[in-house]
Amino acid sequence: HPDSAGGLAVRLGLSAVRNLGTEAAERIVAEREAHGPFRDLADLGQRVRLDTPALEALATGGAFAAFGQDRREALWAAGAAARQRPEHLPGSAPGLQSPPLPGMTVVELAAADAWATGITPGTHPVEHLRTHLNRLGALSTAEVAAVPDGTRVKVGGAVTHRQRPATAGGITFLNLEDETGMLNVVCDTGFWTRFGRIARASPALLLRGIVQATPEGVVSLRADRAEPLRLSAAHTSRDFR
């Protein structure tokens, strides 16, 4: 699709936004085609009945940038916009105007994109933690692929998939992703008993484990320790060994 600079760009469909879904996305498109483009967030809320989580997800993903609203401002106004109804005076709901708010950092923008759409068109959130992960001795997923079988390593990344329930043998699989690629993580019953709560709840993890490399070149990590990995690197324990 042509972009504003005359080049080509990929446009992400509305139904890919968290908390929105196909039915709501189709209602937005149908309303726009029937009665013209939306003027602002409040106009969308008034013409299409969306709940607060859906509008907040659109705001988090940057969908209202074309209206001159940055993501924090749109998030502030999302709840008020969700209360707008066709019979209300346009823009009359309290809370539509946000106070001055700081813009998001590049790390926060990457995290917002990943949460809202699962895609980070700018930078990967873990990329901004690379210096901190290096200090902890954690490898990238690409570096793990070159490590000999049986080596114990640390690696940090975003969790993109959790296989539940476990296999018949009690094994659970995770996928860990960073700016260099993906790594399959094998979690046995002992690991899941000790770290399952963390592994289930954390969007990103710092893991320690044993590299398993097959002669065919398939590499995975058998995890033996986990800790939440937050975008604020200062919150990751320095005692992780």
Side-chain angles (χ1 to χ4, degrees), residues 1-4 8-14 32:
H1 197 284
D3 65 10
S4 59
L8 295 178
V10 175
R11 288 196 172 181
L12 186 67
L14 286 170
R32 183 182 63 201

Side-chain angles (χ1 to χ4, degrees), residues 70-90:
D70 69 19
R71 302 191 198 203
R72 291 197 195 280
E73 291 172 343
L75 273 169
W76 177 280
R83 295 190 293 272
Q84 288 282 88
R85 292 294 178 263
E87 63 272 16
H88 294 166
L89 289 174

Side-chain angles (χ1 to χ4, degrees), residues 211-238:
V211 174
Q212 296 180 321
T214 69
E216 294 78 22
V218 178
V219 177
S220 60
L221 183 78
R222 179 172 287 270
D224 58 33
R225 183 167 180 179
E227 184 172 313
L229 180 64
R230 297 180 178 88
L231 288 178
S232 176
H235 290 107
T236 304
S237 171
R238 296 179 182 179

Side-chain angles (χ1 to χ4, degrees), residues 22-171:
T22 302
E23 188 272 335
E26 289 176 345
R27 285 194 286 118
I28 293 172
V29 173
E31 172 63 26
R32 183 182 63 201
E33 291 180 347
H35 299 104
F38 301 103
R39 296 187 302 272
D40 51 30
L41 173 55
D43 187 41
L44 173 62
Q46 189 167 44
R47 291 164 53 185
V48 184
R49 293 196 174 191
L50 298 175
D51 59 19
T52 299
L55 284 174
E56 287 181 340
L58 285 167
T60 301
F64 304 117
F67 302 147
Q69 284 183 298
D70 69 19
R71 302 191 198 203
R72 291 197 195 280
E73 291 172 343
L75 273 169
W76 177 280
R83 295 190 293 272
Q84 288 282 88
R85 292 294 178 263
E87 63 272 16
H88 294 166
L89 289 174
S92 61
L96 286 171
Q97 298 300 318
S98 69
L101 297 170
M104 289 186 177
T105 66
V106 290
V107 178
E108 291 168 335
L109 286 171
D113 285 330
W115 180 87
T117 67
I119 297 172
T120 54
T123 58
H124 195 284
V126 179
E127 182 178 349
H128 302 283
L129 297 181
R130 183 54 54 198
T131 299
H132 174 69
L133 289 170
N134 288 342
R135 286 199 300 266
L136 292 174
L139 303 180
S140 69
T141 59
E143 290 171 329
V144 172
V147 170
D149 179 61
T151 305
R152 175 173 272 115
V153 300
K154 290 183 284 186
V155 59
V159 180
T160 59
H161 178 72
R162 297 175 177 85
Q163 177 216 317
R164 295 297 294 168
T167 66
I171 300 297

Side-chain angles (χ1 to χ4, degrees), residues 169-183:
I171 300 297
T172 300
F173 295 98
L174 305 177
N175 284 111
L176 204 69
E177 178 183 285
D178 64 10
E179 75 277 17
T180 69
M182 297 186 70
L183 177 67

